[in-house]
């Protein structure tokens, strides 16, 4: 086969450090848009960036030429630097060191989109910590609860 073809949907979640200031609601859309630009700069395709003032959800298509770790590093490193320029309030802004990435089947892309779009409603019922643990358990990921939310 002379072509290398790939269509890998990813759902990526990452969180701010506990010592970091939360992102103001007024700044969230700018942060989402900036992260979307960073995704494009890696050659990947952003489908939706959303979340809350303490965590981010990304649905994207992974480029066949990019590793997941490189994509996440570019998003977190560059957005963290940029967020610090928005306001002096963010002088000490940092993302938590870890992240979670889940593969998404084409058949549940629309469900994942709605999930990310409905974050405000979703978090009226469930905390980020509960949400994150639910994903880890759904995908049967081994984790140590002691370290999941440690900075």
């Amino acid at each position: 086969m002379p072509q290398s073809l790939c269509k890998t949907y990813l759902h990526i979640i990452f969180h701010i450090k506990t010592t970091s200031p939360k992102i103001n609601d007024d700044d969230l859309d700018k942060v989402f848009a900036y992260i979307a630009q960073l995704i494009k700069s890696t050659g990947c395709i952003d489908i939706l960036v959303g979340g809350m003032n303490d965590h981010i959800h990304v649905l994207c298509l992974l480029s066949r030429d990019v590793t997941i770790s490189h994509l996440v590093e570019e998003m977190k490193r560059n957005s963290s630097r940029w967020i610090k320029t928005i306001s002096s309030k963010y002088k000490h802004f940092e993302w938590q060191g870890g992240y979670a990435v889940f593969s998404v089947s084409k058949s549940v892309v629309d469900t994942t989109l709605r999930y990310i779009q409905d974050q405000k409603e979703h978090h009226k019922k469930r905390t980020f910590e509960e949400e994150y643990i639910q994903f880890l358990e759904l995908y049967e990921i081994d984790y140590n609860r002691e370290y999941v939310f440690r900075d």
Side-chain angles (χ1 to χ4, degrees), residues 37-101:
Q37 288 177 350
L38 293 170
I39 293 166
K40 288 176 191 166
S41 75
T42 67
C44 297
I45 299 171
D46 71 296
I47 297 171
L48 182 63
V49 178
M52 299 294 289
N53 59 0
D54 63 350
H55 71 280
I56 299 291
H57 288 264
V58 171
L59 180 63
C60 67
L61 279 168
L62 184 66
S63 166
R64 65 182 175 85
D65 299 321
V66 176
T67 64
I68 293 170
S69 60
H70 176 73
L71 170 62
V72 174
E73 178 185 357
E74 288 298 303
M75 284 190 295
K76 290 174 67 179
R77 181 172 41 94
N78 290 314
S79 66
S80 179
R81 288 179 184 163
W82 179 78
I83 289 168
K84 290 175 184 176
T85 69
I86 296 174
S87 163
S88 60
K89 172 194 187 242
Y90 301 121
K91 182 168 86 173
H92 300 291
F93 181 87
E94 291 182 81
W95 296 114
Q96 188 179 41
Y99 59 90
V101 179

Side-chain angles (χ1 to χ4, degrees), residues 129-141:
E129 290 80 6
E130 292 168 332
E131 169 189 57
Y132 196 74
I133 296 298
Q134 182 181 17
F135 271 108
L136 296 177
E137 291 176 356
L138 176 68
Y139 281 84
E140 299 178 3
I141 295 176

